[in-house]
Structure formats: structure tokens, C-alpha cells
Amino acid sequence: MSQLSFWLSAQILWLVMAVVYNIVGIYRVYRGGRALVGERDQPLHSLMSLPVFALPILVGFLSLEVLYCYTAPIILLLLGRLGFWRHIEAARSPAGMKAYSSSAAWWWAVIINGYGSLVLAIGLLIAWSTYLSSPV
């Protein structure tokens, strides 16, 4: 599973970037400014949801490959829809982009969640190929 551990580490990097993005948003609100995206409470809600996304990564590091193979797809769908595609859809209209404090905040959200979706998908493919090729 060494190949998977590389991609699990890449997933940890995504998690760190997501935490930093939301902490910056919380800090901006605390200082009287605007969150990077959404309403004032959005960064806190997003930060509080990240442990759910971290569970499959933890399961992968614990070498529970079967559990990782079945939990990671759920997280990938959530991340792809709520973390990546939601930001892409926002760019379709000026009203959608008004949710962001700046175009840089939008770009960072897209890059962070695009990266996270990619490394989660690759890790999942590796885990499944390892799982399916292992003797029963």
C-alpha cells in the first residue's frame, strides 16, 4: 500500500489547504471583514465538516483498505459536488461570484477542491486496484 500512502499524504495536503482557507475566512470575519466565500458563518461550518472528509484518509492510513474503498467514494462525491463543482457553477453568473470576497478567493477555492478531488480519485483507484487484485 506504499503507492496509496503517497496519495493519502496528498489528501492530507488538501485537508491542510482547506483548513487554512477556512481559518483565513474566520479570521477575516473576526476582524470585521468578509468571509472568503459565503456568509459570515460559512467558514466555520465548512471547517466543522472537514473531519467527515478526513475519516476515509485516516482509515486508509490505518490500512483498512476495504473500508477505505467503500467510504472514499462517498467523500469523493461530496467533495466533487459541494467543494469543486459548486465553485465552478458560481462562475456562471455575476450573482454567483458575489458570494466570494474576490476572484482570488474563488480561484483558491477551485484549486484547493480540484486538487482534493483529483488526489482522492487517484487514491481511490489505487486502493480499488489493490483490493481487487489481492487474493481472496
Side-chain angles (χ1 to χ4, degrees):
M1 291 294 280
S2 64
Q3 200 177 22
L4 178 58
S5 63
F6 172 82
W7 293 103
L8 290 169
S9 297
Q11 292 167 29
I12 291 290
L13 178 59
W14 161 74
L15 207 54
V16 168
M17 290 188 295
V19 166
V20 168
Y21 185 87
N22 287 298
I23 287 175
V24 168
I26 291 168
Y27 178 75
R28 288 172 52 96
V29 168
Y30 173 77
R31 300 284 298 175
R34 186 172 171 210
L36 292 174
V37 63
E39 300 297 322
R40 298 178 60 78
D41 59 347
Q42 180 64 41
L44 183 59
H45 290 282
S46 295
L47 192 62
M48 290 172 29
S49 73
L50 288 177
V52 171
F53 290 88
L55 283 175
I57 301 169
L58 176 62
V59 164
F61 274 119
L62 294 175
S63 297
L64 301 169
E65 295 89 5
V66 175
L67 191 54
Y68 179 84
C69 286
Y70 288 100
T71 57
I74 297 164
I75 298 306
L76 178 58
L77 289 173
L78 286 172
L79 178 59
R81 176 64 187 113
L82 301 175
F84 179 72
W85 193 248
R86 175 181 66 122
H87 298 298
I88 295 298
E89 287 178 331
R92 293 183 178 186
S93 72
M97 288 302 287
K98 286 183 183 177
Y100 299 86
S101 63
S102 66
S103 62
W106 178 83
W107 274 108
W108 276 112
V110 169
I111 290 168
I112 289 168
N113 290 298
Y115 169 81
S117 298
L118 178 66
V119 297
L120 190 58
I122 293 170
L124 186 57
L125 288 172
I126 290 168
W128 269 105
S129 68
T130 303
Y131 173 65
L132 292 175
S133 66
S134 65
V136 209

